[in-house]
Coordinates of all heavy atoms in Angstrom, one line a residue:
Chain B
S543 N 13.9 44.5 -19.6 CA 14.2 45.9 -19.9 C 15.7 46.1 -20.0 O 16.2 46.9 -20.7 CB 13.6 46.8 -18.9 OG 14.1 46.5 -17.6
I544 N 16.5 45.3 -19.2 CA 18.0 45.4 -19.3 C 18.5 45.1 -20.7 O 19.3 45.8 -21.3 CB 18.6 44.4 -18.3 CG1 18.5 44.9 -16.9 CG2 20.1 44.2 -18.6 CD1 18.9 43.9 -15.8
Y545 N 17.9 44.1 -21.3 CA 18.3 43.7 -22.6 C 17.9 44.6 -23.7 O 18.3 44.5 -24.9 CB 18.0 42.2 -22.9 CG 18.9 41.3 -22.2 CD1 18.7 40.9 -20.9 CD2 20.1 40.9 -22.9 CE1 19.6 40.1 -20.3 CE2 21.0 40.1 -22.2 CZ 20.8 39.7 -20.9 OH 21.7 38.9 -20.3
G546 N 17.0 45.6 -23.3 CA 16.6 46.6 -24.3 C 17.8 47.4 -24.8 O 17.7 48.1 -25.8
S547 N 18.9 47.5 -24.0 CA 20.0 48.2 -24.5 C 21.2 47.3 -24.7 O 22.3 47.7 -24.6 CB 20.4 49.3 -23.4 OG 20.2 48.8 -22.1
C548 N 20.9 46.1 -25.1 CA 21.9 45.1 -25.3 C 22.6 45.4 -26.7 O 22.0 45.9 -27.6 CB 21.3 43.7 -25.3 SG 22.5 42.4 -25.8
I549 N 23.9 45.1 -26.7 CA 24.6 45.3 -28.0 C 24.2 44.4 -29.1 O 24.2 44.8 -30.3 CB 26.2 45.2 -27.7 CG1 26.8 46.5 -27.6 CG2 26.9 44.3 -28.8 CD1 28.3 46.5 -27.3
D550 N 23.8 43.2 -28.8 CA 23.4 42.3 -29.8 C 22.0 42.8 -30.3 O 21.1 43.0 -29.6 CB 23.2 40.9 -29.2 CG 22.8 39.9 -30.2 OD1 21.6 39.7 -30.4 OD2 23.7 39.3 -30.8
L551 N 21.9 43.0 -31.6 CA 20.8 43.6 -32.2 C 19.5 42.7 -32.1 O 18.4 43.2 -31.8 CB 21.1 43.8 -33.7 CG 20.3 45.0 -34.4 CD1 20.6 46.2 -33.6 CD2 20.8 45.1 -35.8
E552 N 19.7 41.5 -32.2 CA 18.6 40.5 -32.2 C 18.0 40.6 -30.8 O 16.8 40.7 -30.6 CB 19.1 39.1 -32.5 CG 18.1 38.0 -32.2 CD 16.9 38.0 -33.1 OE1 17.0 38.5 -34.2 OE2 15.9 37.4 -32.7
L553 N 18.9 40.5 -29.8 CA 18.4 40.5 -28.4 C 17.7 41.8 -28.1 O 16.7 41.8 -27.4 CB 19.5 40.3 -27.4 CG 19.9 38.8 -27.2 CD1 21.1 38.7 -26.2 CD2 18.8 38.0 -26.6
Q554 N 18.3 42.9 -28.6 CA 17.8 44.2 -28.3 C 16.4 44.3 -28.9 O 15.4 44.8 -28.2 CB 18.7 45.3 -28.9 CG 18.3 46.7 -28.4 CD 19.0 47.7 -29.2 OE1 18.4 48.4 -30.0 NE2 20.3 47.9 -29.0
Q555 N 16.2 43.9 -30.1 CA 14.9 44.0 -30.7 C 13.9 43.2 -29.9 O 12.8 43.7 -29.7 CB 15.0 43.4 -32.2 CG 13.7 43.5 -32.9 CD 13.8 42.9 -34.2 OE1 14.9 42.9 -34.9 NE2 12.7 42.3 -34.7
R556 N 14.3 42.0 -29.6 CA 13.3 41.2 -28.9 C 12.9 41.9 -27.5 O 11.8 41.9 -27.2 CB 13.9 39.8 -28.5 CG 14.0 38.9 -29.7 CD 14.5 37.6 -29.3 NE 14.8 36.8 -30.5 CZ 14.7 35.5 -30.6 NH1 14.2 34.8 -29.6 NH2 15.0 34.9 -31.7
A557 N 14.0 42.3 -26.8 CA 13.7 42.9 -25.5 C 12.8 44.1 -25.6 O 11.8 44.3 -24.8 CB 15.0 43.3 -24.9
V558 N 13.0 44.9 -26.6 CA 12.1 46.1 -26.8 C 10.7 45.7 -27.1 O 9.8 46.3 -26.5 CB 12.7 47.0 -28.0 CG1 11.6 48.0 -28.4 CG2 14.0 47.7 -27.6
E559 N 10.6 44.7 -27.9 CA 9.2 44.3 -28.2 C 8.5 43.6 -27.0 O 7.3 43.8 -26.8 CB 9.2 43.3 -29.4 CG 9.5 44.1 -30.7 CD 10.0 43.2 -31.8 OE1 10.1 42.0 -31.6 OE2 10.3 43.8 -32.9
Y560 N 9.3 42.8 -26.3 CA 8.7 42.2 -25.1 C 8.3 43.3 -24.1 O 7.3 43.2 -23.4 CB 9.6 41.2 -24.4 CG 9.9 40.0 -25.3 CD1 11.1 39.2 -25.1 CD2 9.1 39.6 -26.3 CE1 11.4 38.1 -25.8 CE2 9.4 38.5 -27.1 CZ 10.5 37.8 -26.9 OH 10.8 36.7 -27.6

Side-chain angles (χ1 to χ4, degrees):
Chain B
S543 63
I544 286 172
Y545 280 90
S547 36
C548 175
I549 257 182
D550 182 272
L551 208 55
E552 168 71 22
L553 276 180
Q554 190 192 108
Q555 179 184 330
R556 288 186 192 212
V558 165
E559 288 161 0
Y560 294 159

